Amino acid sequence: ALARLREEAVDRALALPARLVDRVSTGDLTIRSTMDVGTVALTLRSAIPDMFIAAMQVLAIFVAVLLLSPTLGLWALVGMPIVVWAARWYLTRARAAYLAEGEAASEVAEVLASTAQGARTVEVFGLRERRIADGDRGIDRAYRAARGTLFLRSVLFPVTEFAHSLPVAVTLLAGGYAYLRGEIALGVVVSGSLYMWQLVDPLDRVLMWVEQLQRSGAAFARLKGIGLVAHEGR
């Protein structure tokens, strides 16, 4: 799958008409054919299998708690609405933010590539200050784009971390209250709390890879965009 993806990216780049190649920045094509392909490759190789395993672990833990005590199982779901809300908030904004980050990285790569390749021309025509200004603008745009995606992660991860810890606390409190009333055994409360503690690691892995999935989605869209440009050029 990765070999086909790389071959398709190269084929689409080579299929671009000459008049379009003259207008398309070298840095943009370089980023799309290297960094974007690597981002998609990481997702296919690591993110999807790891997320599948983590999701199965989460399901098994919730089933185990429900089998121990349906009451504790219902209390264990108290953090899920918060996770769903945070994930939806993040996903509605992440795609555009990561596309902007990729475009900004392409702009910086283009400035660096064109400056290095045309160093003699820059020197002869006295374009040094202009190239420096172009580079500064590209770096500033890339910095602001990276700050934008960092803000999304700074909201997603703290909220979900709180939502992960909430079921453990609620299970202990609700289970302890039920034990004092003689409704469930102490071993059930301890086991349910330990199961909820084991839930933290797979949920963390899923949410960590969600960010990679957004990067990969934006990278894949940029790779497919090469083919769209080539098709429109014909």
Side-chain angles (χ1 to χ4, degrees), residues 109-225:
E110 165 59 19
V111 172
L112 295 177
S114 59
T115 301
Q117 293 174 358
R120 290 182 179 275
T121 303
V122 171
E123 183 178 356
V124 169
F125 288 96
L127 301 175
R128 180 173 178 271
E129 297 300 325
R130 178 178 175 182
R131 299 307 297 173
I132 292 175
D134 290 342
D136 289 342
R137 283 194 296 270
I139 292 172
D140 180 65
R141 182 184 175 191
Y143 174 75
R144 284 187 279 109
R147 284 282 300 270
T149 57
L150 178 61
F151 168 73
L152 296 180
R153 296 191 297 272
S154 298
V155 173
L156 174 68
F157 292 142
V159 172
T160 52
E161 286 293 334
F162 169 76
H164 294 172
S165 304
L166 189 60
V168 180
V170 171
T171 301
L172 280 172
L173 292 174
Y177 179 72
Y179 166 72
L180 292 176
R181 296 182 58 183
E183 296 176 358
I184 59 176
L186 180 60
V188 174
V189 178
V190 174
S191 299
S193 301
L194 290 176
Y195 276 132
M196 286 296 97
W197 182 254
Q198 292 297 319
L199 191 66
V200 172
D201 179 64
L203 279 178
D204 277 344
R205 297 210 316 270
V206 169
L207 290 169
M208 288 296 294
W209 283 120
V210 163
E211 190 245 342
Q212 177 63 30
L213 286 178
Q214 293 305 303
R215 288 183 181 275
S216 178
F220 191 73
R222 287 163 52 77
L223 288 174
K224 290 295 183 181

